Amino acid sequence: MLSIQALYEESLHVLQNLICIPSFSTTEHETADYLITFFTKKNIPINRNGNNVWCTNLHFDDKKKTIFLNSHHDTVKPNIAYTKTPFEQTIEEGKLYGLGSTDAGASVVSLIACFLFFYEQKNLPYNLLLAITAEEEISGKNGVESLLPLLPQDIVFGIVGEPTQMDLALAERGLLVIDCLSTGFAGHAARNEGDNAIYKALKDIEWFKTYQFEKVSSLLGENKMTVTIIHAGLQHNVIPASCEFTVDIRLNELYTHEEVLNIIATHTTCVVKARSFRLKSTHINIDNPIVQAGLQLGKKTYGSPTTSDKALLPFPTLKCGPGYSGQSHSANEFVLLEDIHNGISGYIQMLQIVFNQQ
């Protein structure tokens, strides 16, 4: 059986290599190639769909339910404030620097190590399926969502690796972006003509700013609506006939996208169009075996304000991984070396508890 220390040393090497390979969303083919080579050298059958790669444990049994282990190998583009070279991994004072080191490279290599730890073990009560996927940073349709039809349909729960300091993100906010249109009619500003669409929009914008949703989540708090873009007017002396604005809405797990849209329609006069209903708020019950395993290890539970591939998965998922979320998308991104070690041991211990309860 592989030791945690051996797994850590190999994981650090893998993460250092991944950092050196640019893998912006939609262009992750080289890191996918690297992962294919890594598993092939270990004689582990590996599947690929686009830039998504996945594999199953050696003794996969169709009669057993499956646990889904997932993280993403794409990154955002480097923060403009970088002073280090984003694709040059360096270790300084116990920190591994490099783009994607925390988000989500540390989770990727820790989940790979966890998978390898159990890969050859016989008589596991569950199958394990490891998927390292693409386009998470843009919520792209060629990421984990495209993989779902190809996977077993008996997945009992999943772990989504994101930087949570190995605490348990039971819930995360959903995202609903809406484009709004307020209409009036044009006229000459000097003659007090027309019906000013900006003034109509301002009334609705004030509502978006001040409205309080009735249901408040114990994990995620209130729904949050923020007007982020506005366009109106052609020239200074013409009353604008239309005003367009965009609202960023972060939902707790107590509301669906449809419910929020119905509330908006009841209180506003603008025409509203939702861009997508894909990124739903999600929640895993505290009595789920993987959550209970984390609690036994003293880990904390919370609700995550950020959105991940957890939103796209149709089965219960726990967001949990090494590293500090505040490092995500930051300049000179880094992960603590001890966090990688703790991520590997934490994932393994949680699954051992789940397995031992069966």
Side-chain angles (χ1 to χ4, degrees):
M1 184 178 294
L2 295 170
S3 70
I4 299 297
Q5 183 61 27
L7 288 166
Y8 162 73
E9 291 172 3
E10 181 177 54
S11 297
L12 178 58
H13 177 69
V14 171
L15 182 51
Q16 288 173 307
N17 288 337
L18 287 172
I19 288 170
C20 296
I21 306 172
S23 56
F24 303 139
S25 302
T26 74
T27 63
E28 313 94 336
H29 52 281
E30 290 189 36
T31 45
D33 291 344
Y34 174 82
L35 292 168
I36 291 287
T37 301
F38 173 81
F39 284 102
T40 300
K41 287 181 177 179
K42 291 183 175 294
N43 296 315
I44 296 176
I46 184 77
N47 306 285
R48 181 170 184 168
N49 178 260
N51 292 327
N52 306 293
V53 300
W54 77 100
C55 50
T56 58
N57 59 300
L58 179 62
H59 302 288
F60 188 94
D61 184 346
D62 290 334
K63 299 182 181 65
K64 297 177 181 178
K65 294 187 180 298
T66 299
I67 295 173
F68 184 67
L69 307 177
N70 168 245
S71 191
H72 66 93
H73 63 107
D74 63 315
T75 72
V76 296
K77 293 186 177 180
N79 187 305
I80 60 172
Y82 255 90
T83 59
K84 295 180 178 292
T85 303
F87 305 113
E88 183 179 303
Q89 60 81 23
T90 56
I91 295 177
E92 299 175 10
E93 298 179 345
K95 301 172 183 177
L96 172 61
Y97 287 88
L99 182 65
S101 54
T102 288
D103 189 12
S107 291
V108 167
V109 298
S110 295
L111 284 170
I112 289 173
C114 175
F115 175 81
L116 294 176
F117 181 86
F118 293 106
Y119 176 70
E120 294 185 355
Q121 292 188 29
K122 296 180 179 180
N123 302 317
L124 293 176
Y126 295 97
N127 298 315
L128 290 179
L129 190 155
L130 173 71
I132 309 301
T133 50
E135 296 192 11
E136 189 277 342
E137 294 292 1
I138 59 170
S139 302
K141 293 188 176 181
N142 293 317
V144 71
E145 192 174 33
S146 69
L147 204 58
L148 293 175
L150 307 177
L151 302 182
Q153 299 304 300
D154 60 350
I155 296 174
V156 63
F157 66 78
I159 299 175
V160 172
E162 292 281 350
T164 70
Q165 296 179 298
M166 291 304 289
D167 283 331
L168 314 175
L170 303 186
E172 69 173 22
R173 288 190 179 276
L175 173 62
L176 177 63
V177 179
I178 59 172
D179 294 306
C180 305
L181 174 64
S182 297
T183 57
F185 57 88
H188 199 296
R191 294 197 293 267
N192 198 30
E193 295 173 345
D195 184 16
N196 196 319
I198 291 178
Y199 294 158
K200 288 187 171 182
L202 285 175
K203 292 180 181 179
D204 286 341
I205 290 171
E206 181 65 19
W207 179 83
F208 280 111
K209 178 182 176 182
T210 59
Y211 183 76
Q212 293 184 312
F213 287 85
E214 180 180 348
K215 292 183 282 188
V216 179
S217 166
S218 60
L219 289 166
L220 297 171
E222 299 177 315
N223 287 348
K224 180 176 174 56
M225 299 190 291
T226 308
V227 178
T228 54
I229 303 172
I230 187 167
H231 297 290
L234 298 174
Q235 59 190 61
H236 75 89
N237 58 352
V238 177
I239 299 297
S242 65
C243 180
E244 300 174 341
F245 60 97
T246 299
V247 188
D248 176 292
I249 305 172
R250 306 289 169 151
L251 289 71
N252 63 33
E253 79 279 13
L254 304 178
Y255 287 90
T256 66
H257 292 81
E258 292 82 1
E259 287 174 319
V260 170
L261 277 182
N262 287 335
I263 292 170
I264 292 170
T266 301
H267 292 87
T268 62
T269 60
C270 55
V271 176
V272 175
K273 182 178 180 180
R275 294 186 183 179
S276 171
F277 285 176
R278 291 172 62 233
L279 299 178
K280 297 177 172 60
S281 178
T282 58
H283 175 259
I284 185 171
N285 291 330
I286 199 164
D287 58 357
N288 189 283
I290 193 63
V291 177
Q292 287 297 307
L295 291 174
Q296 285 187 40
L297 295 171
K299 301 183 185 302
K300 300 176 183 177
T301 62
Y302 74 105
S304 173
T306 59
T307 302
S308 71
D309 277 343
K310 175 175 162 62
L312 299 172
L313 298 174
F315 41 80
T317 54
L318 174 69
K319 183 159 73 174
C320 175
Y324 169 54
S325 180
Q327 279 295 315
S328 299
H329 309 177
S330 66
N332 300 331
E333 179 183 350
F334 68 83
V335 64
L336 297 175
L337 298 181
E338 65 179 356
D339 283 351
I340 301 171
H341 196 284
N342 291 339
I344 296 167
S345 60
Y347 284 141
I348 290 172
Q349 289 171 349
M350 290 167 69
L351 287 181
Q352 284 176 326
I353 291 172
V354 171
F355 294 157
N356 290 336
Q357 290 175 342
Q358 296 300 304

